Amino acid sequence: MEQTLLLNITYEPLRVISWQKAITLLTLGKVEVVEEYDREIHSVSFTIKLPSVVRLLRLVKWRGDAVKFSRKNIYARDQGMCQY
């Protein structure tokens, strides 16, 4: 199924969310649609195109979770190959 790219107010990408979450944020007035898919979602009272890119209307300070430096994470990053 289609997914939606969530942008900060400064057009920085934050994460990829489901189209259902994007529709929810749109109906709550928290995002604006930047790009749309050709596919439409129909309800009893209205029809809306699926958003492919949405932008938040308020600034979100995003602090990415720091990845712990360990041997296990190094092997995961390098797909199990030794770098020596």
Side-chain angles (χ1 to χ4, degrees):
M1 192 49 93
E2 287 83 3
Q3 294 184 333
T4 304
L5 176 64
L6 179 65
L7 302 175
N8 208 345
I9 195 167
T10 58
Y11 289 94
E12 295 172 308
L14 292 178
R15 64 175 41 188
V16 176
I17 59 175
S18 67
W19 64 268
Q20 294 96 337
K21 181 70 172 176
I23 297 287
T24 302
L25 291 172
L26 182 63
T27 56
L28 292 174
K30 296 185 178 191
V31 296
E32 70 175 357
V33 177
V34 177
E35 291 289 326
E36 299 173 331
Y37 289 113
D38 292 333
R39 187 168 172 214
E40 294 180 339
I41 298 295
H42 301 281
S43 110
V44 175
S45 58
F46 65 93
T47 300
I48 187 169
K49 286 195 172 192
L50 278 179
S52 61
V53 180
V54 293
R55 182 177 73 106
L56 290 171
L57 297 177
R58 297 184 67 188
L59 182 66
V60 174
K61 292 187 179 183
W62 180 261
R63 60 173 215 275
D65 296 331
V67 177
K68 182 180 175 185
F69 184 77
S70 68
R71 181 180 299 175
K72 180 180 175 184
N73 288 338
I74 297 290
Y75 279 119
R77 179 195 71 185
D78 299 334
Q79 293 141 3
M81 297 180 63
C82 181
Q83 296 298 316
Y84 291 104

